[in-house]
């Protein structure tokens, strides 16, 4: 109400389409280039390059899940484009992520609904510095299986299409360029979502390092690789504004954001999470939801 000009930012980011296409082409080129390398170099490039672009692609898929590529009037175009963006990750992800991520926005911290909340087992077991370090390494595993325990949903037609498209793509890559290309693809995705500087955003976004503050923004340089996902308070306030425009939201409504707790280093977030005995996977706001719950 105070800043009606923010409404002008609620429109698709068509540049996202071309960025995603270029990222897919970059990974296809990398699949070809690693096919004859020694294994030590395949592993090296999987972490140094593949992990960065794979994690970045998951955040492009996050943008697409909010219909930022083609707009809300062409929702299915976004779903098909998400399946395309998913291809160089090696594992089907896009359609299921969209279904659960909308719940995260509607029912942030909702017990039994928001699968971003760790399970009771995670909070109980990963309670020492060493175990928290292992938990960070295994984050891709927990994000993949957690929905099956917290909020399983029936499989949809689009999820089956996502799966079949991904399997077909993986088979073609293996047939053309062999096992090293497949390893590079899968290792990059797993490493990029585990012990990696960009993965600090998983913890930075909603873990309560300060009591009473459950969402935090990050304003460091890695936003350049992550479609400004660090602008997380801004994103939750305006989920229909593409990441490209979130810095403008902060600039326009600075009085609402500048004085909130914030981060400038995701690496420090990871370090503090591991070393601070008062922080664990339990350090999240959990709510008992009331009234009708509508899920995708």
């Amino acid at each position: 109400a105070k800043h009606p000009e923010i409404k002008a930012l609620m429109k698709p980011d068509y540049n996202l389409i071309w960025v995603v296409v270029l990222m897919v082409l970059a990974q296809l080129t990398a699949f070809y280039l690693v096919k004859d390398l020694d294994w030590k170099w395949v592993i090296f490039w999987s972490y140094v390059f593949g992990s960065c672009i794979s994690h970045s692609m998951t955040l492009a898929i996050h943008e697409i899940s909010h219909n930022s590529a083609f707009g809300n009037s062409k929702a299915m175009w976004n779903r098909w484009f998400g399946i395309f963006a998913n291809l160089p990750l090696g594992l089907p992800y896009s359609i299921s992520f969209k279904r659960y991520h909308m719940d995260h926005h509607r029912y942030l911290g909702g017990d039994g609904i928001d699968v971003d909340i760790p399970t009771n087992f995670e909070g109980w077991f990963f309670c020492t510095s060493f175990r928290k370090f292992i938990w960070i390494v295994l984050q891709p595993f927990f994000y993949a299986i957690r929905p099956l325990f917290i909020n399983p949903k029936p499989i949809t037609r689009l999820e089956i299409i996502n799966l079949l498209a991904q399997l077909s793509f993986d088979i073609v890559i293996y047939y053309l360029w062999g096992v090293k290309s497949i390893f590079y693809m899968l290792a990059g995705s797993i490493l990029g979502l585990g012990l990696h500087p960009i993965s600090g955003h998983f913890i930075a976004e909603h873990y309560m390092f300060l009591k009473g503050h459950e969402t935090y923004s990050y304003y460091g340089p890695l936003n350049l690789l992550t479609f400004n996902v660090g602008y997380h308070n801004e994103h939750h306030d305006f989920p229909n504004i593409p990441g490209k425009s979130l810095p403008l939201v902060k600039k326009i409504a600075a009085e609402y954001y500048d004085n909130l707790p914030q981060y400038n280093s995701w690496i420090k977030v990871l370090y503090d999470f591991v070393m601070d005995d008062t922080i664990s996977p339990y350090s999240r706001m959990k709510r008992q939801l009331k009234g009708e719950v509508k899920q995708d």
Side-chain angles (χ1 to χ4, degrees):
K2 186 175 180 180
H3 298 286
E5 63 270 31
I6 285 178
K7 291 182 180 179
L9 304 177
M10 299 176 182
K11 58 185 179 181
D13 174 16
Y14 295 117
N15 288 331
L16 176 64
I17 299 167
W18 309 115
V19 171
V20 167
V21 170
L22 288 174
M23 290 169 69
V24 171
L25 292 176
Q27 280 293 69
L28 286 173
T29 303
F31 296 160
Y32 173 77
L33 292 175
V34 303
K35 68 184 179 66
D36 295 321
L37 294 180
D38 289 339
W39 275 107
K40 64 177 181 292
W41 290 111
V42 177
I43 296 171
F44 174 82
W45 288 115
S46 294
Y47 189 79
V48 172
F49 182 76
S51 63
C52 295
I53 198 166
S54 290
H55 199 138
S56 182
M57 187 64 87
T58 67
L59 294 168
I61 290 172
H62 166 254
E63 287 285 291
I64 296 166
S65 75
H66 286 280
N67 294 336
S68 293
F70 295 97
N72 292 322
S73 64
K74 296 180 178 178
M76 280 306 299
W77 289 37
N78 290 281
R79 302 293 77 75
W80 296 120
F81 191 57
I83 292 173
F84 168 75
N86 196 151
L87 294 177
L89 296 178
L91 298 169
Y93 164 81
S94 177
I95 298 300
S96 296
F97 172 79
K98 192 267 180 186
R99 298 179 72 199
Y100 284 103
H101 188 63
M102 295 304 103
D103 294 340
H104 171 69
H105 274 274
R106 293 189 188 109
Y107 309 110
L108 180 63
D111 190 16
I113 301 296
D114 183 1
V115 299
D116 197 54
I117 299 289
T119 61
N120 289 332
F121 169 78
E122 291 171 75
W124 168 78
F125 185 78
F126 296 100
C127 56
T128 67
S129 291
F130 176 73
R131 291 181 185 180
K132 287 189 286 183
F133 175 81
I134 298 301
W135 184 77
I136 289 173
V137 173
L138 297 177
Q139 275 193 108
F141 171 75
F142 286 112
Y143 269 94
I145 69 166
R146 194 182 293 148
L148 303 179
F149 290 92
I150 293 180
N151 186 17
K153 296 183 178 184
I155 296 175
T156 65
R157 180 179 65 91
L158 277 178
E159 285 175 307
I160 294 173
I161 293 172
N162 194 176
L163 172 63
L164 294 177
Q166 192 63 60
L167 287 175
S168 300
F169 178 82
D170 294 352
I171 290 169
V172 169
I173 296 298
Y174 177 77
Y175 178 79
L176 291 176
W177 297 321
V179 69
K180 290 180 179 178
S181 297
I182 292 293
F183 177 88
Y184 167 88
M185 174 167 53
L186 296 176
S189 297
I190 294 170
L191 292 171
L193 296 169
L195 186 62
H196 195 281
I198 298 177
S199 291
H201 82 86
F202 288 130
I203 293 169
E205 290 167 359
H206 296 296
Y207 283 77
M208 290 193 295
F209 284 81
L210 294 174
K211 300 301 182 184
H213 294 275
E214 62 174 305
T215 304
Y216 301 77
S217 288
Y218 157 84
Y219 300 123
L222 289 177
N223 277 308
L224 296 172
L225 297 177
T226 58
F227 301 90
N228 287 327
V229 75
Y231 288 77
H232 216 66
N233 275 302
E234 295 85 346
H235 173 60
H236 272 270
D237 286 345
F238 302 101
N240 55 344
I241 293 180
K244 180 189 74 172
S245 298
L246 292 178
L248 288 174
V249 172
K250 181 180 184 296
K251 183 177 179 180
I252 292 169
E255 69 272 25
Y256 292 100
Y257 298 110
D258 285 353
N259 294 322
L260 294 177
Q262 56 192 251
Y263 300 116
N264 291 300
S265 171
W266 278 335
I267 295 176
K268 187 176 187 302
V269 168
L270 291 172
Y271 177 83
D272 289 345
F273 178 81
V274 170
M275 301 306 294
D276 189 338
D277 291 338
T278 67
I279 301 296
S280 77
Y282 270 143
S283 301
R284 293 287 298 264
M285 179 69 76
K286 183 185 285 190
R287 297 178 174 83
Q288 297 298 322
L289 297 176
K290 299 178 180 179
E292 185 179 5
V293 174
K294 296 181 179 180
Q295 301 183 68
D296 281 3

